[in-house]
């Protein structure tokens, strides 16, 4: 941040409170502008991708739009809080980093769940080069994949907060095998 301090000093901002306020304002403005540019980029990309025959790119773009916008704000606010806590010598940096990482894990999970939903809807409709899949099968596979994403996110969050997940994984593996053997006759 030395470069930003020098830039603000050259502009006539000299007191430490004014520098801090200017930094916060500039960072929030930068996040706002980046979010605006990202939204415009997604809009233009959506128009270009609608012209293609491939439906998968539309699905990916649709699923990524909201989580990515929220991710920009999460990272930006964490950056601003880090600057402010550093200025006041507060020891909130580890808390802010933990909170930021938690939100990023949740946003990636949200993206994956949205992607599964969009793909499931897309697969139940006939496409240009494929037939429609059975709706019940798509719903069942979609629910399984969403459950796997949510369970993986919960395990990642537990690991991030310092819980040992090796016992949970071992129990889940043994439980999965037991359920598989119990359900094999029903599924065949």
């Amino acid at each position: 941040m030395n470069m930003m301090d020098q830039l603000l000093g050259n502009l006539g901002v000299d007191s430490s409170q004014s520098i801090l306020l200017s930094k916060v304002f500039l960072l929030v403005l930068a996040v706002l502008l980046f979010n605006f540019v990202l939204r415009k980029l997604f809009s233009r990309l959506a128009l270009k991708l609608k012209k293609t025959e491939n439906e998968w790119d539309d699905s990916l773009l649709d699923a990524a739009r909201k989580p990515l916008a929220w991710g920009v704000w999460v990272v930006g606010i964490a950056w601003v809080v880090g600057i402010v806590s550093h200025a006041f010598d507060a020891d909130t940096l580890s808390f802010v980093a933990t909170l930021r990482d938690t939100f990023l894990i949740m946003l990636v999970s949200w993206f994956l769940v949205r992607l599964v939903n969009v793909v499931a809807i897309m697969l139940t409709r006939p496409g240009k080069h494929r037939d429609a899949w059975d709706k019940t099968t798509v719903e069942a596979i979609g629910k399984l994949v969403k459950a796997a994403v949510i369970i993986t996110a919960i395990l990642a969050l537990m690991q991030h907060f310092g819980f040992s997940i090796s016992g949970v994984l071992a129990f889940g593996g043994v439980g999965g095998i037991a359920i598989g053997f119990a359900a094999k006759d029903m599924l065949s």
Side-chain angles (χ1 to χ4, degrees), residues 50-128:
K50 286 224 185 277
K51 296 176 185 175
T52 64
E53 290 185 24
N54 191 355
E55 297 175 357
W56 296 98
D57 51 6
D58 299 330
S59 301
L60 184 66
L61 186 70
D62 188 39
R65 187 181 302 252
K66 286 184 182 178
L68 196 56
W70 276 89
V72 167
W73 281 106
V74 165
V75 171
I77 290 172
W79 198 14
V80 168
V81 171
I83 295 288
V84 171
S85 68
H86 181 69
F88 290 114
D89 293 328
D91 191 25
T92 59
L93 290 177
S94 62
F95 173 72
V96 170
T98 301
L99 195 61
R100 179 198 63 218
D101 293 345
T102 301
F103 278 120
L104 290 177
I105 290 170
M106 290 169 53
L107 287 172
V108 168
S109 304
W110 184 28
F111 161 71
L112 291 173
V113 168
R114 283 176 56 95
L115 183 64
V116 169
N117 287 335
V118 171
V119 167
I121 290 170
M122 186 182 70
L123 288 176
T124 56
R125 293 181 301 195
K128 293 180 182 177

Side-chain angles (χ1 to χ4, degrees), residues 152-180:
T152 304
I154 290 170
L155 290 174
L157 287 171
M158 288 174 63
Q159 183 74 26
H160 182 67
F161 286 120
F163 293 104
S164 176
I165 61 169
S166 59
V168 175
L169 290 175
F171 176 73
V174 171
I177 291 172
I179 291 172

